[in-house]
Amino acid sequence: MKFRPLHDRVLVRRIESEEKTRGGIIIPDTAKEKPQEGEVVAVGAGARDESGKLIPLDVKAGDRILFGKWSGTEVKLDGEDLLVMKESDIMGVLEGAAASKKAA
């Protein structure tokens, strides 16, 4: 993929939630909410402060994050639905989530 976000923007791939509840009930597509968890695909160089100094972003490619329900702008790149959002729309980084997911 040849896309580089500008400034303090981040490219995010949504991580789909489970198809079943803990009790085994299958959730149909029409009842599902959009996931609020995602993986950072690419990040911009950072924002600039009042003096023009570059402030790097706190997130990096590969981080698993939580973001607001209505955050970002949906885009389609290489046939894949992705989100472009500002770093300020990100609520936090899930620590250790990527390692536990890979082990499973």
Side-chain angles (χ1 to χ4, degrees):
M1 177 180 315
K2 305 244 187 229
F3 181 81
R4 182 178 50 93
L6 297 177
H7 308 294
D8 64 338
R9 288 184 173 76
V10 179
L11 186 66
V12 176
R13 176 183 300 121
R14 287 186 194 266
I15 297 174
E16 296 298 324
S17 58
E18 293 293 320
E19 300 282 327
K20 291 183 186 179
T21 64
R22 289 182 184 167
I25 298 171
I26 297 174
I27 304 169
D29 288 339
T30 55
K32 286 185 189 175
E33 289 189 19
K34 289 184 178 181
Q36 294 174 293
E37 186 176 333
E39 179 183 0
V40 176
V41 177
V43 297
R48 296 202 180 267
D49 62 8
E50 293 83 25
S51 64
K53 182 179 155 192
L54 188 67
I55 302 170
L57 300 181
D58 290 332
V59 296
K60 62 187 179 308
D63 282 349
R64 289 189 57 163
I65 59 167
L66 288 177
F67 50 88
K69 189 178 278 192
W70 308 109
S71 299
T73 302
E74 294 183 358
V75 295
K76 189 169 222 145
L77 295 171
D78 296 335
E80 185 176 13
D81 290 325
L82 301 169
L83 288 170
V84 176
M85 65 179 67
K86 287 187 166 266
E87 186 187 34
S88 60
D89 290 340
I90 298 173
M91 290 188 242
V93 177
L94 295 169
E95 299 290 337
S100 65
K101 194 75 165 178
K102 289 179 184 175

